[in-house]
Amino acid sequence: MDFLIESWNKSWDDFFNSRKSILKEIDKALKRRRDLGETIFPARENIFKAFEISHPQDISVVILGQDPYHGENEATGLAFSVPKHTKIPPSLRNIFRELSSDIGSTPPPHGDLTKWARQGVLLLNSILTVTKDQPASHSKIGWGHLTDGVISYLSAKGRQKIFVLWGNFAISKKGIVDHSCHQHPIVCSTHPSPLSANKGFLGSKPFSLINSHLAAMQNKPIDWSID
């Protein structure tokens, strides 16, 4: 491939190797955009960051986002996460606001969610790349087919998992989860963006709810605090 770097952990090889044709089409689309001078986020080496950190056998929670942040020095390859020295975006600020209200944690000084990912939380964007300053600009190049496959793969594989769907776009993926025989718990609300956070996200207590589900499944709870 000319643009994509196969940087996922080897534990994902059986998934990605069965989807080489989709990856090749995405790679061609991204190469064309790069050759036209577009700036693409996240950096090539971070596109599959969620699949480097989170291994399928360890995942207990999936938080689904839409596409990466499209501003400079924001996208990390983990949904909703930003680098430590980047200003916290409004949606993530609302996530932290709800986190504080829900479990009483101190609002963190940065927006790096790597700690969550290392505990088995897959921070998955449905679309894995974006052109600078153009939200949803890569929504039709094939990423949705790939990441819908990730949801199906995780739904069918191994133990129960909790799927966290914030906003109408994420909730539209609920049917993919429901096709599994595992009866995965699903946590839904409006999106944490400023446009919708007050319409159902704030006050929904998703973090304590997730940990309650994990306890019922006899799984280790997530430490949601950010160092």
Side-chain angles (χ1 to χ4, degrees):
M1 289 188 285
D2 293 311
F3 187 90
L4 292 173
I5 300 171
E6 297 182 11
S7 57
W8 54 80
N9 185 278
K10 289 185 179 298
S11 59
W12 287 97
D13 276 354
D14 63 333
F15 173 79
F16 283 106
N17 288 340
S18 67
R19 288 158 175 85
K20 288 289 189 181
S21 60
I22 297 175
L23 287 168
K24 286 178 180 178
E25 290 305 311
I26 294 170
D27 185 73
K28 289 177 184 177
L30 292 173
K31 182 180 182 296
R32 284 194 297 269
R33 289 169 179 266
R34 179 194 62 187
D35 292 347
L36 289 171
E38 294 186 17
T39 299
I40 296 172
F41 296 139
R44 293 170 66 205
E45 63 271 18
N46 290 332
I47 290 172
F48 296 110
K49 179 63 71 177
F51 304 98
E52 290 180 48
I53 299 175
S54 301
H55 304 172
Q57 66 272 20
D58 299 329
I59 292 169
S60 58
V61 180
V62 179
I63 297 179
L64 186 64
Q66 186 162 352
D67 65 341
Y69 297 118
H70 54 84
E72 197 78 45
N73 299 318
E74 291 183 332
T76 66
L78 302 177
F80 296 106
S81 182
V82 292
K84 284 187 176 179
H85 301 294
T86 296
K87 183 179 178 181
I88 298 174
S91 290
L92 184 55
R93 193 170 296 280
N94 281 330
I95 290 172
F96 287 160
R97 179 181 170 188
E98 179 59 20
L99 179 65
S100 179
S101 172
D102 184 4
I103 64 173
S105 65
T106 303
H110 64 81
D112 183 353
L113 305 181
T114 302
K115 181 179 177 181
W116 295 0
R118 294 196 187 284
Q119 296 178 77
V121 179
L122 179 65
L123 297 165
L124 176 66
N125 275 319
S126 181
I127 303 158
L128 298 187
T129 57
V130 69
T131 295
K132 180 182 178 181
D133 299 329
Q134 296 181 35
S137 49
H138 294 187
S139 62
K140 297 181 179 179
I141 67 171
W143 282 127
H145 296 296
L146 186 78
T147 55
D148 283 358
V150 172
I151 297 170
S152 295
Y153 177 77
L154 292 175
S155 296
K157 186 179 178 67
R159 61 185 179 178
Q160 279 185 303
K161 299 164 188 70
I162 300 158
F163 288 82
V164 182
L165 311 177
W166 289 330
N168 290 334
F169 177 85
I171 292 171
S172 72
K173 307 296 182 178
K174 187 172 182 281
I176 304 174
V177 179
D178 283 343
H179 286 162
S180 165
C181 62
H182 287 289
Q183 296 183 325
H184 303 284
I186 299 177
V187 175
C188 295
S189 77
T190 61
H191 196 275
S193 76
L195 294 175
S196 57
N198 286 307
K199 298 177 181 178
F201 175 76
L202 295 175
S204 64
K205 300 187 180 299
F207 305 101
S208 58
L209 181 56
I210 290 166
N211 280 350
S212 292
H213 283 306
L214 289 172
M217 294 154 57
Q218 298 185 326
N219 288 340
K220 186 178 180 180
I222 304 299
D223 177 5
W224 296 108
S225 64
I226 304 290
D227 300 326

